[in-house]
Amino acid sequence: MQFGVRYDLRNPPQWRRPFDRYYADFLDQAAWVDANGFARLTLSEHHFVEDGFSPSILPIAAAVAARTQRIRINLSVLLLPLKHPVQVAEDAAIVDIISGGRLDLTVGAGYRRNEFVGYGIPRSQRPGRMEEAIEIIRRCWEEEEFDFEGRYWNLKGVRMTPKPVQQPRPRIVLGGNSAAAARRAARRADGFAPVSRNWMEDYRQECIRLGKDPGPPSLPVDAPRSPLFLHVARDPDAAWERIAPHAEYEMNEYGSFAADNPAGLYISTHASVSRGQEMARAEAIRAGGSHLVLTPEETVDLGKRMEAAVGDRAALGFNPMMGGMPYELGQESLDLIVQEVMPHFRE
């Protein structure tokens, strides 16, 4: 069983703290989870979001790297078509060096129209820019010097130094949510991280067709997995009362992206409703299973069922600062995880 934490660093206006204090709390918590046995810290990226959703995850990853010793730092996902690939290769190499080889890079095409408009990049160019950029990053890390001529990038005499610590280089995993993304990952990337497990078999079949190692068998689509949000509390009902406004906020914000990504996991609940309807809506989110608050015992049971189903690929993920949640509320959950959940998964 692996335990991980995820951060998108939303700091909503209605609960806003000064950003310098907010980031200081986040980095303190990153150091704490590193010291207490968590295996992975995941950072997400979006742009032009009012609540400050982390827009630049490579500098954030470098700060995490400097404050931690063991935890893997997972960028999932970095929106590659919006970036210059040489700059990504350089910045990611520095993160890998600072961390001593703990960087995991997952890149994605992005989907929000306003992000592409804001960067002045046609959204239709996503696939082509993605494929060229992955090749450029790989060559930056593997080759001493190269030229590249493509549709979007024409580069001469690229000599990137220093190189990453990981040998032969960090893996480049492609995120996505379509059969086309699965096939693109098989052609260009070192792995595939789909939103839905439904696409993993497309990836494996394309790898086999290309003569590449497809990796381990796909997990069953219905195999248990960690929910979008998981919180551990001695009194789940009392904890949910505090968490519910933040869960609804997150659902609404991600759901507002749905016009650009109908296959997303979040659905907006925006509407003008009464207090009673608001409470019912929050309970519907909880009952839907995407946002769970469990006792330590229930969390152990969930973890054991996951281990029984998927073996050493089981992972429990937590989002302790979800939707602007108070820092101390998320930390209370992390304390219980370390004290009363993790020991059941250690020899």
Side-chain angles (χ1 to χ4, degrees):
M1 173 63 68
Q2 286 201 348
F3 291 81
V5 287
R6 177 172 65 89
Y7 297 92
D8 54 26
L9 298 176
R10 289 183 181 271
N11 190 10
Q14 60 268 50
W15 301 297
R16 179 154 293 169
R17 288 174 277 161
F19 273 98
D20 57 346
R21 183 66 257 163
Y22 186 77
Y23 271 76
D25 286 344
F26 154 66
L27 290 172
D28 285 346
Q29 195 167 80
W32 188 93
V33 296
D34 175 63
N36 282 278
F38 286 78
R40 183 176 297 271
L41 187 151
T42 297
L43 299 169
S44 302
E45 174 181 296
H46 272 298
H47 302 272
F48 315 130
V49 183
E50 183 183 11
D51 58 24
F53 194 122
S54 48
S56 189
I57 53 178
L58 281 162
I60 299 170
V64 171
R67 292 287 302 272
T68 57
Q69 299 295 321
R70 292 170 294 276
I71 199 167
R72 299 293 301 183
I73 302 167
N74 180 36
L75 308 188
S76 183
V77 295
L78 182 143
L79 303 180
L80 190 53
L82 302 178
K83 317 285 187 183
H84 194 297
V86 174
Q87 188 71 61
V88 171
E90 291 174 332
D91 290 349
I94 296 302
V95 173
D96 200 54
I97 290 167
I98 294 171
S99 69
R102 292 183 283 123
L103 176 67
D104 295 324
L105 177 62
T106 301
V107 299
Y111 59 89
R112 297 184 67 224
R113 296 180 187 278
N114 72 321
E115 293 178 324
F116 286 87
V117 171
Y119 272 84
I121 296 172
R123 193 168 177 265
S124 60
Q125 295 180 1
R126 291 181 301 161
R129 284 181 175 271
M130 172 72 73
E131 295 205 20
E132 288 190 15
I134 290 175
E135 181 179 349
I136 291 167
I137 293 169
R138 177 182 57 77
R139 295 183 69 180
C140 281
W141 289 345
E142 292 179 349
E143 301 178 21
E144 290 303 312
E145 183 173 355
F146 69 93
D147 299 336
F148 181 88
E149 293 187 9
R151 182 177 179 182
Y152 305 103
W153 306 104
N154 288 282
L155 313 173
K156 301 293 184 182
V158 178
R159 292 179 57 88
M160 198 208 89
T161 187
K163 304 291 188 187
V165 168
Q166 294 183 73
Q167 295 297 320
R169 58 171 173 78
R171 295 176 74 241
I172 303 172
V173 175
L174 178 62
N177 199 35
S178 67
R183 292 190 293 269
R184 189 175 304 119
R187 290 196 307 272
R188 297 294 187 185
D190 303 310
F192 184 44
V195 175
S196 169
R197 290 174 179 158
N198 290 316
W199 307 115
M200 278 305 299
E201 198 55 33
D202 294 88
Y203 168 75
R204 287 177 51 79
Q205 290 303 316
E206 184 70 4
C207 283
I208 292 169
R209 190 186 72 81
L210 295 170
K212 297 175 64 175
D213 180 3
S218 302
L219 294 174
V221 173
D222 59 353
R225 63 193 305 174
S226 197
L228 294 174
F229 172 80
L230 178 58
H231 184 92
V232 181
R234 297 197 191 283
D235 185 340
D237 291 336
W240 179 249
E241 286 189 14
R242 300 178 64 190
I243 291 167
H246 303 278
E248 186 170 356
Y249 173 84
E250 181 184 67
M251 291 288 281
N252 284 334
E253 290 302 307
Y254 275 118
S256 70
F257 300 172
D260 295 331
N261 183 30
L265 298 176
Y266 294 84
I267 299 173
S268 177
T269 63
H270 273 307
S272 177
V273 296
S274 68
R275 173 60 179 166
Q277 290 172 316
E278 183 178 280
M279 293 174 64
R281 192 166 59 185
E283 286 306 314
I285 293 172
R286 185 183 181 187
S290 63
H291 292 64
L292 294 183
V293 183
L294 303 178
T295 65
E297 295 78 13
E298 291 169 333
T299 308
V300 170
D301 179 68
L302 172 62
K304 293 296 184 182
R305 286 188 282 113
M306 292 174 67
E307 281 192 329
V310 302
D312 60 6
R313 287 193 275 177
L316 285 171
F318 304 89
N319 186 354
M321 297 175 74
M322 180 270 297
M325 266 174 48
Y327 174 82
E328 65 276 5
L329 179 58
Q331 188 61 46
E332 288 172 11
S333 173
L334 295 175
D335 287 337
L336 283 175
I337 293 161
V338 169
Q339 295 163 11
E340 301 187 26
V341 178
M342 283 185 175
H344 291 272
F345 298 92
R346 292 173 174 162
E347 292 183 2

